[in-house]
């Protein structure tokens, strides 16, 4: 049997032309990620294949006490998790380029002999299906590539938020440890004084033991606080992608001051609708399904719909992403079911988009309420509780001056004042974390990301 | 109803500013004269009625009266007052006619007395005439002998001052609160014969105690015994005027105790005898000399002496906690406690902290800010520095040149040369110490080594 496959020269020419159209972009899709990310993080972000400049800038930032923007900048330059996400983009682009190219025409030659008979088979094969489905595949890959860009941008935005949160936690933990040190100085003074009073015969072993137990407990609290500071610093270091040890980074002494004005709810709700990546993704999804629906209606015989939806994930395994375009012979089915399904999918996508938007607005409102509450609390501590505590201390000192109160009351009060300053620091930290969560709700994919 | 104020001057250094207010509706009521000055008002001679030798109310005054058809009429107004306890501290008290204690009422044995009592307090009150012989219905016991005087109402008490002697008046309605708020006054019934037991100077005052938290002005009325301000006539040293007398004067001091504890009142430089009690004049044969007389709760004592020793003599309650002002009762003793190193540590936390009490309670030389309306614990400067006293303390000033009837302060005593304690600059011999503490009766098992400051508690063996 002899089989010879030949292709028309014109078709071959078209193949060559088509193949020539698909090439890699100069930025690898990173510019789009940069602009998506920059608008949401609030500082210019530039991702480049060669990030030496980026790293140099980040390293310069590390030489000074870290600001919250500086921390985000360092994390974007150094964080390996983000780099992995960006690398994914390259894989996507390769797929996209691949989709724009036909498989090379194949040529096969075989010679066989059965008894006296010899058969020489020459075949020239061209990827005909590939050629026919190329525009569809390209569009799908283009879409996947865009999704990968959004995913990369989401990773970057999430990293920024996580870094901010860790930054505030680390600062507060540092301050907490520092204040605990002061508290332990107060208890150390009373314990020492109690010891000397017992030695002078003025105080019982009972009173002395009480003071010393209190000191020991405070020391325990100090150890906990120090450990907490180390843990918070390590968490931040992981996100920054640098070492927490010597020469890693320097944190400022204090949390940033509270802002004078707050962001009104209306603005943030609108901003979220315009800016949230999940909403944008849902919208794009809807548009894409609409396009697929149109395509299905037009071709009927090309099952495009499966394409975007082969997106399965099994627990424990990496997510499978892909598509399948199949051509059917219109013998039994003229594509009516496909069209129905495509329509249903389109409606589903519309509802999903509406749901995403609804959830997003709710999340933003909730985050905004938490943000207002945290602000009120931090203000109350800053403007009322801490000043009142200070006043109490002054009054106790006046009583001490008049021999109306003892030095131990002074020291107990000093401890209480320290505790209220600590609570104030926590409230301030909570505000900044709530502010970060609000940002995440507005720009990211939700406050829980 | 109208309010009228007039001022009159009286003899003596202190100008009396007495404002007469309110005839309280009826023209038949005597004026309720109001005193706004907490200084001692020297006594004017009685202008009408029977003659008597007036008393001097320490940091107080005597209530004017009017004669109405042979009856001596007084008008007391029970009302909230602001009493200066000493310069630098004022208290929100309840009293009579602008002051706490109220004015001293002076009458003569056999006087018919009518007292109008107007209640301007927010609650009912009554007045009990402590020690008087009177009709039972005039005794002022709310619920028992009369209804309470409601706010805004005026009641009249009327009786004959039968027994001469030393008396008090105070509420017998919501008594604990009203007395804790300073409602009380002195009463003297002079003998018919003004030459009977006549003295040159006759000082009177009431003892009262208040619990006023540092930084506040109103007494805590629920305090039972733990008062922090002990007063003569609702004044504390250095706010208590001195008793200024002429050398050789026969001096009487009458004291009534309306606190909830006894007060051993002690005079320096002289002996006195108790010549009068709640029950009247003591028979001369029963008197014995003393320098301290204990005045129990609800009692009155009149002591007499010849002020023959010139000088500035302390006169005070001998309970030492009663001669200091508000102090922290729960402050531990710091004497002998080494503060080296600890003080610096505390200073880091409390920058204005200063070590106090490690050498004792003396605060001399230290001027530190205190809570507002709070007096230093021990204070009052004498010619040789701080007297380190407060509360129930004053000075009897005996002077040769003090004129009869002159109550002005003559200033500090000028000691004749060589009569003031002085520093010894010679050698000091080592004292001989006993080595057999406990003696034979109960010999110490552990020996006489009780040097507490050297032995330290160690491990489980306890401490000595
Ligand atoms: Cu006393």
């Amino acid at each position: 049997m002899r089989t010879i496959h030949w292709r028309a020269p014109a078709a071959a020419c078209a193949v060559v032309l088509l193949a020539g159209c698909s090439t890699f972009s100069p930025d690898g899709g990173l510019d789009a990620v940069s602009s998506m990310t920059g608008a949401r993080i609030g500082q210019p972000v530039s991702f480049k294949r060669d990030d030496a400049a980026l790293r140099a800038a980040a390293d310069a930032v590390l030489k000074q006490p870290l600001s919250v923007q500086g921390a985000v900048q360092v994390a974007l330059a150094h964080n390996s998790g983000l780099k992995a996400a960006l690398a994914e983009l390259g894989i996507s682009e390769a797929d996209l380029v691949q989709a724009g190219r036909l498989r090379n025409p194949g040529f096969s030659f075989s010679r066989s002999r059965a008894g006296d008979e010899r058969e020489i088979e020459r075949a020239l094969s061209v990827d005909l299906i590939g050629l026919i489905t190329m525009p569809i595949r390209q569009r799908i890959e283009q879409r996947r590539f865009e999704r990968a860009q959004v995913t990369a941008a989401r990773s970057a935005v999430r990293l920024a938020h996580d870094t901010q949160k860790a930054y505030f936690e680390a600062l507060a933990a540092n301050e907490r440890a520092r204040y605990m040190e002061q508290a332990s100085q107060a208890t150390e003074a009373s314990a020492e004084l109690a010891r000397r009073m017992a030695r002078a015969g003025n105080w019982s072993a009972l009173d002395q033991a009480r003071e010393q137990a209190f000191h020991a407990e405070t020391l325990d609290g100090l150890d906990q606080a120090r450990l907490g500071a180390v843990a918070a610093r390590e968490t931040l270091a992981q996100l920054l992608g640098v070492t927490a040890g010597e020469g890693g980074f320097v944190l400022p002494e204090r949390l940033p001051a509270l802002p004078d004005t707050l962001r009104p709810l209306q603005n943030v709700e609108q901003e979220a609708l315009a800016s949230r990546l999940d909403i944008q993704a849902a919208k794009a999804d809807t548009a894409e399904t609409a396009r697929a629906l149109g395509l299905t209606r037009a071709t009927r015989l090309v099952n495009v719909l499966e394409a975007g939806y082969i997106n399965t994930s099994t627990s424990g395994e990496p997510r499978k992403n892909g598509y399948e375009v199949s051509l059917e012979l219109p013998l039994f089915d003229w594509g009516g079911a496909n069209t129905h399904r495509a329509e249903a999918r389109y409606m589903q996508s519309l509802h999903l988009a509406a749901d995403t938007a609804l959830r997003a607005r709710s999340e933003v409102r909730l985050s905004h309420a938490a943000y207002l509450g945290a602000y009120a609390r931090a203000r109350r501590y800053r403007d009322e509780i801490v000043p009142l505590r200070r006043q109490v201390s002054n009054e106790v000192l006046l009583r001490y001056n008049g021999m109306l109160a003892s030095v131990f009351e002074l020291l107990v009060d000093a401890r209480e004042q320290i505790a209220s300053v600590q609570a104030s620091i926590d409230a301030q930290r909570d505000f900044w974390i709530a502010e970060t969560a609000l940002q995440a709700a507005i720009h990211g994919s939700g406050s829980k990301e | 109803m109208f309010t009228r104020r007039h001022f009159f001057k009286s003899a003596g250094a202190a100008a009396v500013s007495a404002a007469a207010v309110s005839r309280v509706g009826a023209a038949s009521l005597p004026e309720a004269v109001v005193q706004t000055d907490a200084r001692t008002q020297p006594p004017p001679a009685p202008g009408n009625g029977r003659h008597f030798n007036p008393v001097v109310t320490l940091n107080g005054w005597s209530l004017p009266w009017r004669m109405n058809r042979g009856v001596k009429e007084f008008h007391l107004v029970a009302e909230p007052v602001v009493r200066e306890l000493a310069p630098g501290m004022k208290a929100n008290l309840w009293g009579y006619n602008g002051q706490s204690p109220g004015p001293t009422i002076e009458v003569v044995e056999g006087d018919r007395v009518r007292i109008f009592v107007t209640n301007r307090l927010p609650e009912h009150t009554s007045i009990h005439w402590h020690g008087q012989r009177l009709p039972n219905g005039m005794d002022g016991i709310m619920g028992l002998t009369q209804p309470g005087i409601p706010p805004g109402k005026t009641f009249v008490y009327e009786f004959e001052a039968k027994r001469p002697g030393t008396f008090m008046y105070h509420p017998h309605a919501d008594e604990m609160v009203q007395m804790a708020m300073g409602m009380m006054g002195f009463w003297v019934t002079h003998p018919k014969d003004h030459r009977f037991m006549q003295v040159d100077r006759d000082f009177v005052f009431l003892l009262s105690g208040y619990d006023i938290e540092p930084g506040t002005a109103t007494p805590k009325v629920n305090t039972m015994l733990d008062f922090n301000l002990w007063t003569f006539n609702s004044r504390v040293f250095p706010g208590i005027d001195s008793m200024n007398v002429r050398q050789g004067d026969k001096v009487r001091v009458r004291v009534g105790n309306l606190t909830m504890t006894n007060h051993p009142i002690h005079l320096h430089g002289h002996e006195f005898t108790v010549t009068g009690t709640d029950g009247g004049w003591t028979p001369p044969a029963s008197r014995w000399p003393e320098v301290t007389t204990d005045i129990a709760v609800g009692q009155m004592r009149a002591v007499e002496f010849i002020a023959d020793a010139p000088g500035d003599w302390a006169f005070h309650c001998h309970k030492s906690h009663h001669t200091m002002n508000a102090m922290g009762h729960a402050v531990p003793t710091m004497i002998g406690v080494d503060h080296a190193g600890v003080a610096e540590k505390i200073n880091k936390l409390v920058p204005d902290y200063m070590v106090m009490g490690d050498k004792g309670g003396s605060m001399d030389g230290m001027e530190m800010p205190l809570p507002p309306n709070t007096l230093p614990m021990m204070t009052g400067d004498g010619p040789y520095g701080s007297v380190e006293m407060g509360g129930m303390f004053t000075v009897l000033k005996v002077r040769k040149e003090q004129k009869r009837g002159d109550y002005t302060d003559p200033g500090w005593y000028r000691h004749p040369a060589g009569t003031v304690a002085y520093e010894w600059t010679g050698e000091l011999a080592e004292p001989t110490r006993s080595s057999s503490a406990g003696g034979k009766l109960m010999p110490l098992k552990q020996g006489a080594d009780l040097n507490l400051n050297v032995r330290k508690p160690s491990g489980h063996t306890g401490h000595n």
Side-chain angles (χ1 to χ4, degrees):
Chain A
M1 188 193 158
R2 241 163 242 240
T3 320
I4 300 172
H5 308 273
W6 290 110
R7 271 201 154 276
C13 206
V15 170
V16 171
L17 278 172
L18 269 172
C21 291
S22 277
T23 51
F24 287 94
S25 57
D27 66 318
L30 286 168
D31 284 352
V33 177
S34 291
S35 72
M36 266 189 275
T37 307
R40 286 164 179 86
I41 290 174
Q43 58 175 309
V45 178
S46 162
F47 298 112
K48 290 196 182 89
R49 283 252 162 75
D50 174 24
D51 57 356
L54 206 65
R55 296 184 68 132
D59 290 344
V61 165
L62 282 173
K63 293 207 168 65
Q64 285 155 17
L66 210 54
S67 67
V68 66
Q69 293 87 357
V72 170
Q73 190 184 341
V74 171
L76 292 176
H78 282 276
N79 184 283
S80 301
L82 178 65
K83 281 185 208 147
L86 293 176
E88 182 68 32
L89 202 57
I91 298 170
S92 258
E93 193 183 31
D95 288 346
L96 172 60
V97 171
Q98 187 68 53
R101 288 178 187 174
L102 284 175
R103 267 167 59 197
N104 291 330
F107 179 76
S108 63
F109 173 85
S110 69
R111 176 177 175 276
S112 55
R113 194 181 74 166
D116 284 344
E117 195 181 346
R118 288 177 196 156
E119 187 179 285
I120 296 171
E121 191 177 307
R122 282 157 288 204
L124 179 66
S125 63
V126 174
D127 183 5
L128 191 60
I129 293 179
L131 182 64
I132 293 168
T133 60
M134 183 189 277
I136 297 167
R137 286 190 292 123
Q138 255 188 316
R139 190 182 292 164
I140 290 168
E141 284 296 359
Q142 178 64 39
R143 172 81 190 111
R144 283 185 61 204
F145 180 55
E146 281 161 13
R147 276 193 184 199
Q149 282 176 322
V150 171
T151 305
R154 276 166 86 160
S155 302
V157 171
R158 184 181 304 127
L159 175 65
H161 293 151
D162 288 350
T163 306
Q164 282 185 22
K165 187 162 174 265
Y167 173 83
F168 294 131
E169 300 267 18
L171 250 61
N174 264 356
E175 282 199 64
R176 171 168 278 277
R178 219 168 38 242
Y179 276 98
M180 272 309 287
E181 213 152 313
Q182 287 195 20
S184 73
Q185 280 174 10
T187 52
E188 189 185 352
S190 26
E192 176 59 23
L193 206 54
R195 203 174 62 76
R196 293 188 194 179
M197 284 181 72
R199 193 170 59 187
N202 300 13
W203 230 4
S204 66
L206 172 68
D207 288 329
Q208 186 198 349
R210 270 194 193 123
E211 285 299 331
Q212 284 186 329
F214 199 31
H215 178 45
E217 281 161 15
T218 313
L219 284 182
D220 188 54
L222 174 61
D223 285 347
Q224 305 268 6
R226 280 181 175 154
L227 193 61
V230 169
R233 188 179 168 86
E234 285 294 347
T235 305
L236 177 61
Q238 286 173 18
L239 289 163
L240 292 177
V242 298
T243 175
E246 195 76 23
F249 54 94
V250 183
L251 290 176
E253 294 255 302
R254 264 168 248 291
L255 285 162
L258 294 176
D260 294 328
T261 53
L262 291 180
R263 316 169 72 170
L265 178 63
Q266 206 143 29
N267 291 10
V268 300
E269 253 188 281
Q270 248 136 41
E271 219 180 314
L273 286 178
S275 148
R276 267 177 75 130
L277 291 171
D278 59 342
I279 295 180
Q280 295 211 330
K283 277 188 194 163
D285 217 48
T286 310
E288 182 62 20
T289 342
R291 240 194 328 269
L293 173 62
L295 199 63
T296 308
R297 274 191 186 132
T299 63
R300 291 194 170 243
L301 302 180
V302 181
N303 185 4
V304 193
L305 217 62
E306 299 299 338
Y309 291 96
I310 298 181
N311 186 334
T312 54
S313 65
T314 319
S315 61
E317 280 174 42
R319 177 172 273 263
K320 268 197 244 168
N321 242 319
Y323 58 88
E324 186 182 308
V325 182
S326 54
L327 264 177
E328 295 169 18
L329 296 179
L331 292 182
F332 312 110
D333 179 4
W334 287 83
N338 268 355
T339 313
H340 271 289
R341 191 199 281 177
E343 275 165 9
R345 284 257 158 83
Y346 173 65
M347 287 316 289
Q348 185 184 40
S349 153
L350 271 183
H351 292 312
L352 282 173
D355 184 54
T356 306
L358 196 76
R359 276 170 196 276
R361 290 182 71 158
S362 168
E363 268 177 24
V364 169
R365 279 197 300 271
L366 183 60
S367 309
H368 191 261
Y371 159 81
L372 290 185
Y375 185 72
R377 187 153 174 268
R379 284 275 305 248
R380 188 173 301 122
Y381 263 102
R382 188 193 68 183
D383 300 343
E384 286 177 58
I385 298 172
V386 169
L388 283 170
R389 274 277 164 215
R390 202 164 289 138
Q391 195 194 335
V392 167
S393 292
N394 291 340
E395 294 291 339
V396 173
L397 184 64
L398 291 182
R399 273 152 188 76
Y400 172 79
N401 287 348
M403 286 200 180
L404 303 159
S406 75
V407 60
F408 291 96
E409 284 167 78
L410 272 184
L411 292 168
V412 165
D413 182 74
R415 287 197 296 261
E416 282 174 5
Q417 205 196 339
I418 288 162
S420 87
V421 170
Q422 275 186 343
S424 175
I425 291 164
D426 287 353
Q428 202 179 339
R429 170 202 65 192
D430 290 347
F431 166 74
W432 286 114
I433 288 176
E435 209 265 348
T436 304
L438 178 62
Q439 274 183 39
I442 297 169
H443 299 305
S445 304
S447 54
K448 295 193 182 65
E449 71 164 5
Chain B
M1 189 156 148
F2 65 96
T3 300
R4 170 167 83 87
R5 288 183 168 271
H6 71 87
F7 301 90
F8 61 87
K9 288 214 170 93
S10 84
V16 178
S17 72
V21 285
S22 157
R23 285 176 186 272
V24 197
S28 62
L29 275 173
E31 278 176 344
V33 184
V34 170
Q35 177 60 262
T36 57
D37 197 317
R39 285 175 291 185
T40 304
Q41 307 302 328
N48 53 29
R50 273 178 280 201
H51 180 75
F52 60 82
N53 296 314
V55 297
V56 174
T57 308
L58 212 55
N59 290 99
W61 59 305
S62 288
L63 187 62
W65 68 85
R66 78 173 179 197
M67 294 305 293
N68 184 5
R69 280 180 237 165
V71 180
K72 244 181 198 175
E73 288 186 338
F74 296 88
H75 190 173
L76 285 174
V77 179
E79 60 184 358
V81 300
V82 174
R83 171 73 171 181
E84 187 193 65
L85 295 189
M89 189 190 177
K90 288 178 175 166
N92 297 327
L93 300 181
W94 288 356
Y96 299 95
N97 300 46
Q99 291 288 330
S100 162
T104 299
I105 290 173
E106 293 185 76
V107 299
V108 179
E109 178 186 2
D111 273 353
R112 182 107 201 130
V113 183
R114 187 178 296 131
I115 308 131
F116 295 84
V117 179
T118 299
N119 182 9
R120 287 202 197 124
L121 296 173
E123 66 168 356
H124 58 220
T125 188
S126 75
I127 300 190
H128 165 57
W129 313 97
H130 187 118
Q132 304 275 3
R133 292 217 164 220
L134 35 61
N136 183 242
M138 292 293 160
D139 201 35
I141 316 303
M142 195 185 85
L144 181 66
T145 66
Q146 66 162 90
I149 309 170
K153 301 289 184 191
T154 299
F155 274 38
V156 184
Y157 293 88
E158 189 168 338
F159 53 89
E160 186 195 334
K162 282 187 178 150
R163 179 164 72 76
T166 306
F167 304 95
M168 313 186 274
Y169 62 88
H170 62 78
H172 227 294
D174 192 16
E175 195 176 325
M176 197 190 122
V177 166
Q178 294 190 6
M179 299 220 330
M181 289 295 283
M183 297 198 72
M184 55 192 70
F186 218 96
W187 179 302
V188 175
T189 302
H190 294 279
K192 227 174 234 161
D193 176 3
H194 66 84
R195 284 162 305 187
F196 174 74
M197 292 192 65
Q198 186 171 347
V199 292
D200 299 299
R201 317 251 174 177
D202 199 342
F203 296 97
V204 309
F205 59 86
L206 290 169
L207 306 174
S208 55
Y210 301 97
D211 183 16
I212 303 180
E213 280 273 287
T216 73
T218 309
K220 290 161 84 172
V221 297
N222 293 325
T223 297
M224 294 202 182
L225 294 169
D226 210 6
F227 298 92
N228 60 15
L229 292 164
W230 298 96
T231 73
F232 289 175
N233 274 348
S234 301
R235 293 279 284 189
V236 296
F237 186 76
I240 302 176
D241 283 334
S242 55
M243 295 188 288
N244 311 312
V245 309
R246 190 174 67 139
Q247 189 180 355
D249 270 354
K250 185 167 195 180
V251 179
R252 179 184 294 136
V253 182
R254 310 187 202 214
V255 186
N257 181 2
L258 286 176
T259 72
M260 291 192 237
T261 187
N262 63 318
H263 300 277
I265 297 293
H266 173 58
L267 172 64
H268 293 213
H270 298 79
E271 316 82 46
F272 55 68
T273 56
V274 176
T275 56
T277 72
D278 315 53
W281 300 109
T282 57
S286 72
R287 300 172 190 170
W288 65 77
E290 280 185 329
V291 294
T292 304
T293 190
D294 196 24
I295 304 172
V297 178
Q299 283 189 335
M300 286 158 285
R301 291 285 179 272
V303 303
E304 286 174 28
F305 58 95
I306 304 293
D308 52 6
D312 289 341
W313 302 106
F315 180 85
H316 60 92
C317 173
H318 215 288
K319 287 187 176 174
S320 47
H321 276 173
H322 295 183
T323 53
M324 51 179 50
N325 296 328
M327 60 175 291
H329 294 191
V331 175
T333 305
M334 305 303 283
I335 294 172
V337 178
D338 176 18
H339 276 66
V342 181
E344 290 77 64
K345 217 168 262 173
I346 299 171
N347 267 125
K348 269 195 233 159
L349 297 160
V350 189
D352 293 332
Y353 164 82
M354 271 177 73
V355 173
M356 283 194 296
D358 58 327
K359 294 170 189 73
S362 177
M363 291 168 77
D364 67 325
M366 286 201 252
E367 289 263 331
M368 285 188 293
L370 298 177
N373 204 44
T374 300
L375 296 169
M377 189 169 81
M378 302 182 295
T379 183
D381 286 333
Y384 297 102
S386 174
V387 183
E388 297 191 337
M389 286 281 163
M392 294 172 158
F393 181 93
T394 186
V395 177
L396 173 76
K397 295 193 174 184
V398 182
R399 296 289 187 279
K400 205 175 204 156
E401 57 282 2
Q402 191 84 4
K403 295 203 170 54
R404 183 178 289 278
D406 179 7
Y407 287 90
T408 52
D409 184 349
W412 300 119
Y413 181 60
R414 291 191 192 164
H415 300 270
T419 63
V420 178
Y422 60 97
E423 183 188 358
W424 172 258
T425 52
E427 291 284 308
L428 280 176
E430 201 45 47
T432 312
R433 293 201 161 96
S434 163
S435 59
S436 60
K440 280 183 183 168
L441 185 62
M442 292 181 188
L444 283 174
K445 280 182 182 162
Q446 297 169 325
D449 177 18
L450 284 172
N451 200 338
L452 285 164
N453 289 343
V454 175
R455 301 182 80 164
K456 301 169 194 171
S458 60
H460 300 288
T461 56
H463 52 93
N464 291 298

